Amino acid sequence: AQSVTQLDSQVPVFEEAPVELRCNYSSSVSVYLFWYVQYPNQGLQLLLKYLSGSTLVKGINGFEAEFNKSQTSFHLRKPSVHISDTAEYFCAREDRGSTLGRLYFGRGTQLTVWP
Amino acid sequence: GAGVSQSPSNKVTEKGKDVELRCDPISGHTALYWYRQSLGQGLEFLIYFQGNSAPDKSGLPSDRFSAERTGGSVSTLTIQRTQQEDSAVYLCASSLAFSGGFEQYFGPGTRLTVT
């Protein structure tokens, strides 16, 4: 069973519109959660992460995400997108207490912002 | 400071040949990870190193894959007798420590094409 599920493979949106990229996870232990962004022909870059504390996490480039333990979700949002936000976005989890530190990634969501 | 670097950026090889992929992590990062990104499988964890030691090799897809890290720095991923299904982008990442929600910094990847 997939342990990190990104519900939309592609999200098209017009410039200055709000956007939400959805992510659900499953794990038998507590988790750390991450959103990474991959611009064309570049490596992955961390947008934001949830470790503990406040469930609303703010990241770079105006993105934020909310951790919802009861719904096992970690959706990414931005109130107004720019063309430069066009990229692929990956949700990932790391199991707390694991000695591996490995990340489990979702399949990614391609965000395309149109003028 | 310099980020994670990988070489070569692109590699085309014939089926059956061996290839070596190199990763230079960020100086001082004790943890190093290899992932594979392909259309069919998304982002898959392959192996990670704590210093020069790889405690868990179960993510390697077959015994044709091996990896080593020397001096707590450079790592090499070797694929022997390459197959077409090995075609993918191989990503390397490093972090300050191997668990606890530390950010993994990714290199730009090596695109491997097996013909």
Side-chain angles (χ1 to χ4, degrees):
Chain A
Q2 194 172 8
S3 57
V4 178
T5 303
Q6 292 183 241
L7 296 158
D8 305 295
S9 59
Q10 298 192 38
V11 173
V13 65
F14 287 109
E15 194 174 18
E16 297 183 7
V19 71
E20 178 180 80
L21 306 184
R22 297 179 292 168
C23 173
N24 286 89
Y25 68 93
S26 61
S27 177
S28 57
V29 300
S30 296
V31 296
Y32 303 117
L33 295 165
F34 306 81
W35 276 98
Y36 280 84
V37 61
Q38 187 174 35
Y39 297 103
N41 301 315
Q42 295 187 30
L44 280 80
Q45 177 184 358
L46 182 69
L47 270 180
L48 49 78
K49 62 182 178 181
Y50 171 77
L51 301 184
S52 65
S54 173
T55 57
L56 183 64
V57 179
K58 294 189 183 297
I60 62 171
N61 300 339
F63 284 93
E64 63 181 33
E66 185 152 21
F67 171 60
N68 188 317
K69 186 175 181 180
S70 62
Q71 296 187 1
T72 61
S73 68
F74 190 55
H75 301 333
L76 181 70
R77 302 186 183 101
K78 186 170 182 178
S80 176
V81 294
H82 302 292
I83 290 179
S84 59
D85 293 324
T86 294
E88 188 146 25
Y89 292 78
F90 293 92
C91 181
R93 78 161 219 268
E94 176 190 337
D95 291 339
R96 284 176 182 255
S98 166
T99 58
L100 295 182
R102 64 176 283 183
L103 294 175
Y104 298 84
F105 285 92
R107 286 298 188 100
T109 297
Q110 174 64 45
L111 174 65
T112 302
V113 181
W114 298 100
Chain B
V4 177
S5 61
Q6 293 185 245
S7 61
S9 56
N10 280 283
K11 177 72 176 178
V12 180
T13 190
E14 292 179 353
K15 178 182 172 181
K17 301 280 190 181
D18 298 351
V19 295
E20 284 190 354
L21 312 180
R22 178 187 167 105
C23 173
D24 280 276
I26 293 172
S27 177
H29 281 193
T30 59
L32 184 147
Y33 306 81
W34 284 98
Y35 295 86
R36 180 168 73 172
Q37 186 175 23
S38 60
L39 284 175
Q41 301 297 324
L43 270 158
E44 302 173 88
F45 168 83
L46 297 179
I47 192 170
Y48 99 105
F49 289 88
Q50 292 181 41
N52 293 332
S53 173
D56 183 353
K57 301 180 181 179
S58 62
L60 294 175
S62 77
D63 58 8
R64 296 185 294 104
F65 287 71
S66 63
E68 66 175 11
R69 187 180 185 192
T70 55
S73 181
V74 172
S75 176
T76 303
L77 178 69
T78 301
I79 310 173
Q80 295 179 310
R81 305 181 302 282
T82 52
Q83 304 294 312
Q84 287 185 333
E85 61 262 28
D86 299 334
S87 295
V89 177
Y90 289 82
L91 296 171
C92 175
S94 69
S95 66
L96 278 171
F98 53 89
S99 64
F102 284 92
E103 177 178 355
Q104 293 185 22
Y105 293 80
F106 284 80
T110 293
R111 182 176 298 277
L112 176 65
T113 305
V114 182
T115 61

